[in-house]
Amino acid sequence: MTFRLRAVRALVLLAGFYLMGVVLLAAMAVLDWLLVTRLFTARAAWFEGAVLTVTVLLAVAILRGMFAFLRAGRLRPVPHGVAVTPQDQPELWEQVCAAAEVTGERPPDELYLVAEVNAGVAEQSRLLGLLSGRRRMFLGLPLLAGLTVPRLRAVLAHEFGHYGNLDTRLGGVTMRGREAVLHTVEVFREGSTQLHYAIGALYIGYARMFLRTSQSVARHQELAADQVAARHAGRDATAAVLRTLPVLDAAHTHYLEMYAAMGGPLGALPPVGEVHGGFRRLLAARTGERLAALSAGQRPPRPHRYDSHPPTAERIALIEELPADDRTDGSADEPAALTLLHDPDRVFAALEARTLPHEAVRLRRMSWDDLVMARAVADAEGWSRPLRLAVARTLRSAAQVADGAAPARRGAPAEKVEDAELPGLEEVLDAFDRGLLWMEVADRIPKPTQAARLTGASARNFIRPRVYDGLAGMIHLRLAGTGHAAPDIAWSGQPGLTLPEAWEKDMDDALDAAVADTPDTAPLRALLAGTHRVSA
């Protein structure tokens, strides 16, 4: 079957999705008319009344779905995007209009910058997508930060290609129809009554048939859009985009978790505009190999059963089969797409104001260095507190025994320890030297119920990393408090503290010795003594 015939078949099924509601309403209207005019009897009035009630409720559910289907193409407000006009960003609009022109499409009426590694075109369509209306484009600022201008051209041409007359006008109609069908199905799934679910099951079954039937058309449109992008931006740049997008997406997720959310536990935010703007700094600091490492080993998301996108490897292979052109990717020499923006700092700040929750206005702003230092101190306090509490309770128990009082029995609720009573680093090391680590302290560090049953070497090996982290946290607090640790945002690695050279070199070995089966705190004390001499 040719593409044109498949597109016609999809259009007929799309019309049937709407006509199914009309047929159901007509059938119920005929049934109600027969009940009222021909079959109504006093003896069966209750039954006929129940049937009328059910048909009316079913009609309401069907009408709701039909209106949802007709309204599926409506454009909704964009609360989490920044609208930019041709006067605001003329160079970006120039690229957008050029991509629209090469696909034979009209440019968008609106352009929104959003906080996603994504791009898309939406339009307000009517009559099952046969009539198109106002058009809107979305461009992710992280996408602009991670792509060169030629690669952005490929993305723009591809998105307009979805709506172009690539083989037949019906191809674009089918794409809009799939969106309308999915929207209608979601409306039925959100229904609040059993009747909504019953009618929804009928529509969902039909929708599955339509999506399955139209999937080949949708995939053909996707591949044809790739061809348009290659003609507009070059074969190499288009193939490079498909390889780059998963890497950018993984890098952006890493940035949001590791950097943008760094101040969450502190009730703080990075400087204005840096919640999203910091991503460009991470991209600038990392080579392609280090960025790719962020997505290495990640399983690609499982495609939706009716996904219109063919496998990425297949798309890249088809693009690379195209004849070579004189436009190489040249990503190292090409400017970043973000350079198309006038005053990008202002744009990032505007997007931040649109995407952050309202309560974020009350959060304090901190520089990246201050944020790294504050988070490192907070983390170190969290790591060290269980160890310090365990040592404090051990020392209190030992003091009670020395005074002749009965020590707290094992398993009894732990006594509250005030912050002022928590031991310092030297007191903890003294407790280790007295042999209390594996005799008393380890038993008082919280652990899962299953681990509490462990004994001997198994118990020590389980709790040793927690003792190690607790001791490391205390050292970080000491060095940060004395000014020997500096914050390091480490855009190319992991944010944290930069320690003096001696500590960077010997700290791990000293900690290993301190938490060994026979603790040896001498190496750690030697490092502390060296720090004191430097301070003096």
Side-chain angles (χ1 to χ4, degrees):
M1 184 181 293
T2 65
F3 174 76
R4 187 179 299 274
L5 288 177
R6 290 196 300 268
V8 171
R9 181 183 63 178
L11 179 62
V12 171
L13 289 175
L14 180 61
F17 189 79
Y18 185 78
L19 291 176
M20 181 172 61
V22 175
V23 171
L24 289 173
L25 289 175
M28 287 188 291
V30 171
L31 176 61
D32 291 347
W33 178 79
L34 289 174
L35 284 174
V36 172
T37 61
R38 302 296 177 86
L39 304 177
F40 183 81
T41 62
R43 182 177 299 178
W46 66 271
F47 174 74
E48 293 159 352
V51 173
L52 288 172
T53 301
V54 170
T55 56
V56 169
L57 293 176
L58 286 173
V60 170
I62 293 171
L63 287 171
R64 182 169 181 255
M66 293 173 67
F67 279 115
F69 187 59
L70 291 175
R71 293 165 59 90
R74 296 189 63 181
L75 295 178
R76 293 171 176 80
V78 186
H80 301 305
V82 176
V84 293
T85 65
Q87 292 73 34
D88 296 330
Q89 302 294 343
E91 294 179 31
L92 180 60
W93 268 92
E94 181 181 348
Q95 296 293 335
V96 170
C97 292
E101 182 179 358
V102 79
T103 60
E105 286 292 296
R106 57 187 173 84
D109 302 289
E110 303 169 0
L111 175 59
Y112 282 86
L113 299 178
V114 294
E116 302 172 1
V117 183
N118 202 1
V121 176
E123 67 177 26
Q124 186 156 318
S125 57
R126 295 162 290 169
L127 293 180
L128 310 181
L130 287 171
L131 299 179
S132 57
R134 190 170 187 81
R135 181 168 287 178
R136 176 183 293 166
M137 184 164 206
F138 301 91
L139 275 177
L141 274 182
L143 192 69
L144 298 182
L147 295 181
T148 61
V149 173
R151 292 182 182 182
L152 176 64
R153 291 193 192 109
V155 170
L156 295 174
H158 176 91
E159 294 304 325
F160 284 110
H162 287 160
Y163 292 90
N165 305 327
L166 301 176
D167 284 298
T168 171
R169 175 64 181 170
L170 300 182
V173 173
T174 302
M175 296 293 289
R176 287 188 286 267
R178 286 171 65 90
E179 296 171 5
V181 167
L182 290 172
H183 173 76
T184 307
V185 168
E186 288 301 319
V187 169
F188 276 115
R189 282 178 174 169
E190 296 170 0
S192 56
T193 67
Q194 292 298 323
L195 293 176
H196 277 90
Y197 292 130
I199 294 295
L202 184 63
Y203 273 89
I204 289 171
Y206 192 100
R208 286 173 177 166
M209 179 182 67
F210 170 75
L211 292 173
R212 185 168 56 250
T213 303
S214 64
Q215 189 170 27
S216 61
V217 177
R219 290 198 168 196
H220 185 92
Q221 286 286 105
E222 198 74 38
L223 295 175
D226 285 342
Q227 305 289 310
V228 172
R231 289 196 297 269
H232 177 56
R235 183 192 66 177
D236 294 346
T238 304
V241 166
L242 292 177
R243 293 190 180 94
T244 301
L245 287 179
V247 175
L248 272 183
D249 191 52
H252 188 242
T253 300
H254 173 77
Y255 167 77
L256 292 178
E257 295 173 352
M258 183 67 66
Y259 294 89
M262 186 188 304
L266 310 172
L269 288 172
V272 174
E274 288 293 292
V275 172
H276 301 300
F279 182 55
R280 52 188 164 162
R281 308 186 192 284
L282 181 144
L283 294 177
R286 301 193 182 215
T287 61
E289 291 77 11
R290 299 205 66 177
L291 286 175
L294 297 175
S295 61
Q298 291 187 0
R299 181 176 297 178
R302 188 175 182 178
H304 189 275
R305 184 177 180 181
Y306 305 113
D307 191 0
S308 64
H309 293 77
T312 301
E314 177 185 335
R315 296 171 63 188
I316 293 174
L318 290 174
I319 291 170
E320 291 181 336
E321 288 177 2
L322 296 174
D325 51 43
D326 57 355
R327 293 169 293 179
T328 59
D329 180 33
S331 58
D333 303 322
E334 296 288 348
L338 203 59
T339 59
L340 297 172
L341 294 181
H342 290 180
D343 195 1
D345 292 336
R346 179 184 59 81
V347 177
F348 276 111
L351 181 62
E352 184 178 296
R354 302 277 290 184
T355 55
L356 290 178
H358 294 299
E359 55 270 21
V361 176
R362 297 189 294 271
L363 300 181
R364 55 179 172 153
R365 297 281 185 166
M366 302 176 68
S367 69
W368 282 116
D369 282 347
D370 290 344
L371 199 56
V372 170
M373 177 61 80
R375 179 61 187 267
V377 169
D379 288 346
E381 289 174 346
W383 301 337
S384 64
R385 188 172 181 82
L387 175 62
R388 297 176 73 191
L389 282 171
V391 172
R393 288 172 179 145
T394 298
L395 296 178
R396 178 182 291 178
S397 178
Q400 290 172 346
V401 171
D403 293 340
R409 59 184 176 85
R410 187 180 296 273
E415 298 181 34
K416 184 177 181 181
V417 177
E418 301 295 337
D419 287 347
E421 300 179 272
L422 292 176
L425 180 55
E426 282 76 9
E427 291 177 274
V428 171
L429 296 180
D430 289 343
F432 285 14
D433 288 340
R434 291 167 56 187
L436 297 177
L437 172 57
W438 301 121
M439 292 172 52
E440 299 284 345
V441 175
D443 287 342
R444 288 179 166 86
I445 294 179
K447 57 184 74 65
T449 305
Q450 296 84 346
R453 302 192 186 102
L454 298 175
T455 59
S458 298
R460 291 194 297 273
N461 290 335
F462 178 84
I463 206 67
R464 199 186 315 275
R466 302 191 181 192
V467 179
Y468 184 104
D469 289 344
L471 207 53
M474 295 188 72
I475 291 169
H476 284 179
L477 290 173
R478 171 67 62 85
L479 296 177
T482 58
H484 289 91
D488 182 11
I489 187 61
W491 293 113
S492 60
Q494 184 170 345
L497 296 179
T498 298
L499 306 182
E501 182 179 354
W503 284 93
E504 294 282 4
K505 179 182 177 183
D506 299 327
M507 177 177 165
D508 288 346
D509 291 339
L511 286 173
D512 286 335
V515 301
D517 289 350
T518 303
D520 178 10
T521 65
L524 204 50
R525 292 180 186 275
L527 286 173
L528 289 169
T531 303
H532 291 318
R533 285 195 295 271
V534 171
S535 299

